[in-house]
Each structure stands twice: as C-alpha cells, then as structure tokens.
Amino acid sequence: MTFEEAPVRTDQLTIRYGRKTACSVISLQIEKGSVYALLGRNGAGKSSLMRCLLGQLKADHGSAFLFGRDSWKRRSALMHRVGFVPEQPDMPPEMTARQLASFCAPFYPSWDEVGFNERLRRSSIRPNARTRDLSRGQRGMLSLALALAHHPELLLLDDPTLGLDVVARKSVYDDLIGDMADRLTTVLITTHDIQGIETIADQVGILKNGELLIDRPIEEMKATFRLLRYPGSSHWAQASPTDSPNLFHTASSRRRLDSMEVVVDDFTEAKFERFRAQDGMEGAASETMSLEEILIAVTGEESEQAS
Amino acid sequence: MYPDIQVDSRDVTPLWKQIEESIRRLISSGALLPGAPVPSVRDLARELRINPATVARAYQRLMEARLLIARRGEGTYVSVSPPVMEKSERLRLVRETAQRYAIAAASAGSTEKEMLTEAAAAWRRLGSAERGEKK
C-alpha cells in the first residue's frame, strides 16, 4: 500500500488583515474522496481559508498543504491538480466560452476538450456566446465546466450555487456528483445552500469569527445533536452540580412561554432516559435536527447563547 | 423512472443504511424482481442528490449479502435467486430497525402498549407478498 498525502491539510493556520483575524489557528484535514462542507456566516473566514489553500494568500502563522505540499511555496506545481470555482466568477465580458477554454487549456496537460464541450451543451451555452451575454446560472456552469475540464483531483468551490435558480442549482449538483462518481474527486465547498449540501457532504466544518467551532463527520453530528424540549423555565446550567451526570452539553438554549428548548451536542438515548427520570422531566422530548438547524444553534444566530 | 428508493435527510439513520434498507424492502416486496437492473451508483446519486460514495457503500453491502450482483461493464442487478436470509442476519436487521422504532416512539412520548399496538397494526397493513407469504 502506498502512503497518500491528504488532499487538504492545514496546521494551525492563522490569517490576519491588519488587526482583524480572518482565520484563527485552524487545523483540519480532508481525506481523498471526501466532501467537506465549510459553513458559517459571511465574514466568518471561509473565503480567506480558500484563498490561502489556493496559494493566493500567505498565512501569518501555520501552514496550508495540498497533497502534502505547501500551497504558498508550491502554488504553480499544485494548481494543475486543483479546480476552483470562485464566489463571483469574474470572466472577461468580451470573451466567449470557446476563447476562455483556449486560454486555459495550454496550462493543463490533462485538459478534456470533449468533456468541456459536452458540459456547455448540457447547460445550453453556445461556445461563441460572450460571457457578458450569459445568464448568471450559465456563468456559474461555465465556471464549473472550466474548473472540471482538466480533471482535478481536488475541487474548491466557493458558494457555487449563490444566486442561482433551482434549475441551475440542479445542474451544478448533477455535474458535481457525476464527477465525484467518475473520478473520486475530493471537494471542499462553502455554501449558503445548507439543505442542498446536507446529503452530499460527509464532513462539516463550522467557522465563526475565524474559529473552527465544529469539524466532524456529518453522520456523527446528526446522531449527537438534538433539540430537547421540557416544561419549566430554567436551564440546567442553574441545577446543582450533583445532577451533572444526567445532563448534556449545551450548544444553545432558549426560553419559550412555559418551556425550555435546549440544543445539545452529546445526545445518547441512555443519557436521555436518565434525564427524563429526573423530577419534573417526564414530559421532556427530543427532536432530531437538520444541518441548517445545527448551524444556527452552533453559530448563535437567532438564539441566545447559553451561559 | 427508478423504483422507489428514497432517503430522508432528517432521519438520523445514516443515508447508506436508508438506501440499503430501501432496496431490501423493494426486493422482499417484489417491487424489484430477480434479475431486474438497479440504477448505477452514478445515476442514483444524482437522482437522490447524495454522495456517490454513500450509494456505493449501500450497494457494496447488498452485494456482500448476495442480494445484488455486479456484471462487469454491464451494471448491477438483483440476484436471480436471492439467498434466503440467515436467521442471525434476519434477527440483526429486525432488531436494529425495531430499536430505532422504539427510540422514535419513546422520544415522541408513547407508552409501551401504544408502541406495540402500532407495530402490530403496521404488520397487518402489509400485503401478503410484503409479508413474504406464498400465494
């Protein structure tokens, strides 16, 4: 068996803009064939992390590695193994799809002209159409077609479905999934379409103010995050410490009219049975959570943080 | 287009397991007949908008259980004579599914009696083919 370096690895990566820290001591690893969804609000540090992985931005501390090699120092040698779709595809408006392809192709020995043309055809993009005359969805598809044409081992996608309608979004996911099935492509994706990525990603990272709060397999997250509802008006943070073996770790909590809603991130059925055995907790109920609900609970949007 | 293979992203059962169980159900109910083709990993992943590795994992398990067979270069099919499930395997599958059902019922606040009544009612609602009875 040959040892293969992970397509993406960061080691205590820190990026600053003046006094503002965009990424703070981030260490993560993405294995071959994995789809890693990097989530967080605007300004959480997602794009900075991507630009650093692409070797466009130098880390202030720590390092970023693609396939085991430093992305800043080895940028030109690495880029033929990487495909990138930026958040705002900025293509020269006067250039046609064909001209763009002719411009990009010489940089990549593995450029697949047939596959590229096939993608254009599926997206109803005429090869001679100027990019300024394309719809937003078509520009997104063109950007993805350009990124996939050299059969990259690693795809970095910065919100590829932003501003796209349902049909264009479906094309993006279809192409992405097809490519993953054909070539076991590794994917790092940031997105606002949490529901869309929920069933595709296998690993989730959640960034807030430059810190990586969560870095876990999605299966595990869905198994251990729960919304608990119980009657009463007090959070167990106020309970006596002797009760603590029966308690969960809280991600967020909020007070309803006559009940509490608490999101926990270490749920097990056995623990929940003990929790319900406590005085006044017989009526407690637990609900599974969507990735979107987990994201909101973890980043503290729309909800008060537990003390 | 495809037989009714469905996944629910809100269900905490891992997606690969949902697919595996879905196909097992389709085979045992006769909706997928012996020798029938199943969608390719690529097509099913696109159809359900899920990771191809997830579909591949479910197919792998079904092939190990000899419910599906892959013909090189042709595709994947339901075995012509699906093996009768070993008792231990059958018990494992039923127990795992029952455990999840019991958990869902307990979380919703059901009593044991209500949970058992509903399970029996669900069994009775099945057609004879789905119950595996000979016609």
Side-chain angles (χ1 to χ4, degrees), chain A residues 85-99:
Chain A
V85 175
E87 189 173 352
Q88 301 282 351
D90 49 349
M91 305 171 193
E94 294 300 324
M95 276 178 94
T96 65
R98 163 121 330 280
Q99 286 168 335

Side-chain angles (χ1 to χ4, degrees), chain B residues 41-57:
Chain B
V41 166
R42 192 180 198 277
D43 288 349
L44 187 59
R46 281 165 61 134
E47 177 74 15
L48 300 176
R49 195 185 279 185
I50 59 179
N51 196 318
T54 306
V55 180
R57 184 166 175 190

Side-chain angles (χ1 to χ4, degrees), chain A residues 25 48 58 102 152 180 201 204 215 219 221 231 242 247 249 253 300:
Chain A
V25 208
S48 297
K58 192 173 187 298
S102 307
M180 285 157 52
V204 173
D215 175 26
E219 258 183 29
M221 281 174 74
T242 49
L247 302 180
H249 182 258
S253 70

Side-chain angles (χ1 to χ4, degrees), chain B residues 28-131:
Chain B
S28 65
S29 71
L32 268 176
L33 294 168
V38 295
S40 70
V41 166
R42 192 180 198 277
D43 288 349
L44 187 59
R46 281 165 61 134
E47 177 74 15
L48 300 176
R49 195 185 279 185
I50 59 179
N51 196 318
T54 306
V55 180
R57 184 166 175 190
Y59 278 23
Q60 190 58 42
R61 287 177 56 97
L62 290 163
M63 285 190 262
E64 279 163 15
R66 287 181 294 159
L67 284 165
L68 296 182
I69 47 164
R71 295 198 204 124
R72 197 173 291 275
E74 279 188 64
T76 308
Y77 298 82
V78 179
S79 296
V80 174
S81 52
V84 177
M85 211 183 271
E86 295 275 337
K87 189 179 177 198
S88 62
E89 167 76 354
R90 186 179 75 225
L91 277 177
R92 186 189 61 78
L93 182 76
V94 172
R95 254 184 216 135
E96 280 178 15
T97 315
Q99 189 65 53
R100 280 203 306 281
Y101 167 60
I103 287 167
S107 301
S110 281
T111 59
E112 182 182 355
K113 185 162 174 263
E114 186 177 81
M115 186 262 304
L116 293 172
T117 308
E118 286 307 313
W123 175 263
R124 286 192 302 269
R125 279 195 296 273
L126 295 178
S128 58
E130 288 170 304
R131 283 200 290 251

Side-chain angles (χ1 to χ4, degrees), chain A residues 134-170:
Chain A
L134 298 176
S135 70
R136 186 161 191 168
Q138 286 175 321
R139 274 202 292 274
M141 287 307 291
L142 175 55
S143 188
L144 185 60
L146 289 166
L148 290 175
H150 63 282
H151 293 177
E153 295 161 71
L154 170 66
L155 260 183
L156 300 179
L157 308 173
D158 200 353
D159 223 335
T161 56
L162 186 66
L164 302 192
D165 62 23
V166 181
V167 179
R169 228 184 262 194
K170 181 172 176 345

Side-chain angles (χ1 to χ4, degrees), chain A residues 35 169-170 173-174 177-182 193 196 198-200 202 219 222 226 269 273 276 285-286 288-290 293, chain B residues 7-12 14-16 41-42 45-54 57 103-104 106-110:
Chain A
V35 178
R169 228 184 262 194
K170 181 172 176 345
Y173 287 122
D174 274 2
I177 291 169
D179 200 70
M180 285 157 52
D182 295 344
D193 181 18
E198 177 164 9
T199 49
I200 302 175
D202 50 26
E219 258 183 29
K222 299 205 74 163
R226 285 290 191 289
E269 292 296 337
E273 282 312 307
R276 290 217 300 182
S286 73
T288 61
M289 298 174 75
S290 70
E293 290 163 338
Chain B
V7 294
D8 174 6
S9 66
R10 280 206 73 106
D11 191 333
V12 292
L15 293 171
W16 58 266
V41 166
R42 192 180 198 277
R46 281 165 61 134
E47 177 74 15
L48 300 176
R49 195 185 279 185
I50 59 179
N51 196 318
T54 306
R57 184 166 175 190
I103 287 167
S107 301
S110 281

